[in-house]
Amino acid sequence: MGYEIDYIPVGEGAKSGDAIALRYGNLHGPRSEQTVVVIDGGTLESGDALVEHVIGRYGTNVVDIAFLTHPDGDHAHGMRRVLERLQVNQLSMHLPWIIPTG
């Protein structure tokens, strides 16, 4: 099984966020033998770059799983672009307004 992890540039220095794309599986086989994952989307601009990366480098417009780790703008704003422009099969995200009961 192969894997590829790509970090898309977001901001500079202390104000940098995250926009990460990865895929694993049979990277030389058909898309059905691969899993594509996005972790955070960075800013709107890096979100556009992330979408273009998934389409251009991975050859697909489908993200199997997208994770949004927290709602800061330098992580979350670009996820909007991912959700608007790609088919996302599953989204997992931090929901700070839901308080667990127990």
Side-chain angles (χ1 to χ4, degrees), residues 24-56:
Y24 62 89
N26 181 1
L27 302 185
H28 302 290
R31 170 62 176 91
S32 61
E33 295 179 3
Q34 302 173 20
T35 299
V36 174
V37 179
V38 167
I39 303 169
D40 291 335
T43 62
L44 288 175
E45 294 79 19
S46 58
D48 287 331
L50 180 59
V51 167
E52 294 304 318
H53 184 83
V54 169
I55 293 169

Side-chain angles (χ1 to χ4, degrees), residues 23-96:
R23 66 178 171 158
Y24 62 89
N26 181 1
L27 302 185
H28 302 290
R31 170 62 176 91
S32 61
E33 295 179 3
Q34 302 173 20
T35 299
V36 174
V37 179
V38 167
I39 303 169
D40 291 335
T43 62
L44 288 175
E45 294 79 19
S46 58
D48 287 331
L50 180 59
V51 167
E52 294 304 318
H53 184 83
V54 169
I55 293 169
R57 175 78 180 166
Y58 298 171
T60 185
N61 68 341
V62 177
V63 172
D64 297 293
I65 308 166
F67 294 96
L68 182 58
T69 61
H70 62 285
D72 288 357
D74 59 349
H75 292 253
H77 288 165
M79 188 61 76
R80 174 179 165 190
R81 297 291 199 232
V82 171
L83 295 171
E84 289 173 345
R85 297 182 55 201
L86 299 174
Q87 175 186 324
V88 176
N89 293 338
Q90 181 178 344
L91 173 64
S92 295
M93 61 186 282
H94 176 74
L95 303 172

